[in-house]
Amino acid sequence: MHMPNNGKRILVTGGAGYIGSILVTRLLDAGYKVIILDKLMFGVDPLKHFLKNPNPNLAVIVGDIQIEDDVNRAVENADAVIHLAAIVGDPACAADSELAVNVNFNATVRLADICKKHKIRRFVFASTCSVYGMGKTGILTEDAEVNPVSLYAETRLYGERGILSLADRNFSPTLLRLGTLFGLSPRMRFDIIINYLTQKAVREKKISIFGGDQWRPLLHVADAARAFQVAMEGPLEKVENQIFNVGLANLQIKEIGQIIKQNIPEAEVHVLDKFEDKRSYNVSFEKIETILQYKAENAIEVGIKEIADALKDGVITDPTDKIYYNHYAC
Ligand SMILES: NC(=O)c1ccc[n+]([C@@H]2O[C@H](COP(=O)([O-])OP(=O)(O)OC[C@H]3O[C@@H](n4cnc5c(N)ncnc54)[C@H](O)[C@@H]3O)[C@@H](O)[C@H]2O)c1
């Protein structure tokens, strides 16, 4: 098989995470050499495929992006970096705000600075559409005003700004603002809306939707992984110092409930008035489509079906296990 990328070494921080564990396989399949730097907050299970089938093109460094020696060791041999390691989600950041600020902001900007010193020009950062927050009308492009309403979103936004402030002729970061993810991954998460509601619908045959009018941009986890590869490989002049929104579609929470009902008809859907999560935003994905010809492919139904099948087939036995919920690890 022709391996066009043979020899290029990609450091993936957080490579054992929900996105990372898919992205790493994708990069290896594309012929890259991959270095994972991850502190394995959710155990080694997401990498068990590689333990069973060791891959000479994969190196795993169990380490912490807050520790400079770990970062230096990981960065030393890398040609490009995809930075995913983070304390992810509002509840996880609220559970340990000091850790969240340290990892998501301080260690993130330091990592970018170390990459710059190592003359690693390509640096792709995982940000989030949560930076748009609430109270915005119309379709939000990358130039829209931001309004983060949680510590998580703030740490991602300040991370973005810190990374962009380092940009120069030798350091050309690309920032992806991802929608809320869904779908199956070797490191499963059930603390994100579609995955959470799907497991409830399958197990309890009943789901409750709070509010329902809030808008969310959504994206399948495999499409997210592909976006990182596309951004990393994109022509430098098109991706350097750029922010791209990445998503499949914007849906209201109540529509998500309807789609789950269509796919798991035995489940009842209740829409309740009260809701605490105030985030609502409707995001444009035109820039990445126009500039990088990237379009998300996997429909919401695909993610629902994958998860329902994994539960029915016993691939996942207990989706209420704390390992699937980020805030328990903090
Ligand atoms: N999942 C989503 O819906 C979503 C949406 C938008 C953006 N993102 C962003 O994508 C990235 C990855 O998210 P995910 O869903 O894969 O998260 P995840 O929690 O599944 O994975 C994060 C990984 O980072 C590792 N990690 C955490 N702190 C570390 C540290 N100090 N040093 C080394 N490793 C560390 C964890 O062990 C874990 O494997 C994050 O930057 C997140 O902000 C995710």
Side-chain angles (χ1 to χ4, degrees):
M1 193 165 73
H2 178 54
M3 292 288 203
N5 303 309
N6 207 4
K8 268 208 167 164
R9 293 152 304 184
I10 317 301
L11 168 62
V12 181
T13 72
Y18 181 56
I19 302 172
S21 55
I22 292 184
L23 175 63
V24 165
T25 299
R26 188 181 171 92
L27 294 174
L28 288 168
D29 288 348
Y32 290 103
K33 292 186 171 166
V34 178
I35 306 150
I36 293 176
L37 173 60
D38 197 301
K39 73 174 189 180
L40 304 182
M41 284 175 77
F42 310 101
V44 76
D45 239 38
L47 302 179
K48 71 176 177 219
H49 167 75
F50 298 114
L51 295 176
K52 273 196 223 149
N53 312 286
N55 187 320
N57 290 328
L58 175 66
V60 180
I61 299 175
V62 179
D64 192 325
I65 62 160
Q66 297 171 98
I67 299 172
E68 223 166 304
D69 281 353
D70 291 350
V71 172
N72 280 323
R73 198 150 63 92
V75 157
E76 199 169 61
N77 293 313
D79 297 306
V81 173
I82 297 177
H83 177 38
L84 307 176
I87 302 303
V88 183
D90 294 355
C93 288
D96 191 337
S97 51
E98 199 182 326
L99 180 70
V101 171
N102 273 334
V103 174
N104 293 5
F105 176 68
N106 296 327
T108 286
V109 179
R110 196 166 51 234
L111 168 74
D113 197 31
I114 292 172
C115 290
K116 178 173 165 166
K117 289 193 174 112
H118 279 76
K119 302 201 170 20
I120 297 172
R121 194 156 181 192
R122 299 267 187 167
F123 184 95
V124 189
F125 174 60
S127 188
T128 166
C129 288
S130 296
V131 298
Y132 296 116
M134 61 173 279
K136 296 279 177 292
T137 49
I139 308 285
L140 303 169
T141 66
E142 291 77 356
D143 298 325
E145 209 183 305
V146 288
N147 183 24
V149 291
S150 68
L151 176 65
Y152 170 60
E154 274 178 355
T155 61
R156 299 286 73 185
L157 181 63
Y158 287 108
E160 283 187 4
R161 289 179 178 165
I163 292 167
L164 282 177
S165 73
L166 295 168
D168 66 9
R169 278 175 37 230
N170 301 310
F171 183 68
S172 308
T174 307
L175 281 45
L176 301 186
R177 287 181 179 161
L178 309 177
T180 299
L181 300 182
F182 62 89
L184 198 66
S185 158
R187 192 267 132 161
M188 200 45 198
R189 289 185 58 193
F190 284 107
D191 55 357
I192 33 187
I193 185 159
I194 293 179
N195 298 2
Y196 178 75
L197 292 175
T198 301
Q199 62 81 22
K200 273 235 172 216
V202 170
R203 284 185 314 113
E204 296 175 11
K205 319 242 171 307
K206 192 170 123 184
I207 58 172
S208 301
I209 305 278
F210 294 91
D213 291 331
Q214 315 94 301
W215 288 94
R216 282 286 185 292
L218 299 162
L219 177 66
H220 192 283
V221 60
D223 283 323
R226 184 164 57 86
F228 283 98
Q229 185 181 349
V230 167
M232 185 190 69
E233 293 174 343
L236 202 57
E237 69 281 5
K238 292 188 177 179
V239 297
E240 62 183 343
N241 318 333
Q242 292 298 312
I243 299 177
F244 294 98
N245 296 331
V246 192
L248 166 79
N250 296 279
L251 257 65
Q252 286 183 293
I253 306 274
K254 61 188 174 200
E255 293 175 89
I256 296 175
Q258 286 156 7
I259 297 176
I260 291 180
K261 172 79 184 159
Q262 283 156 14
N263 287 274
I264 308 171
E266 60 275 25
E268 286 172 34
V269 178
H270 297 272
V271 180
L272 308 173
D273 274 349
K274 239 180 73 182
F275 68 100
E276 283 173 4
D277 188 347
K278 304 186 194 78
R279 289 175 301 154
S280 184
Y281 35 85
N282 205 321
V283 176
S284 163
F285 312 117
E286 216 177 290
K287 180 174 172 183
I288 193 164
E289 196 179 330
T290 311
I291 296 184
L292 296 176
Q293 287 74 53
Y294 167 93
K295 220 171 154 38
E297 286 165 357
N298 290 290
I300 288 153
E301 288 80 354
V302 171
I304 294 172
K305 186 170 180 335
E306 287 169 348
I307 294 168
D309 288 350
L311 292 166
K312 285 174 190 152
D313 298 345
V315 177
I316 296 169
T317 49
D318 181 8
T320 66
D321 191 318
K322 289 181 176 172
I323 197 89
Y324 301 124
Y325 297 79
N326 279 1
H327 62 284
Y328 287 116
C330 291

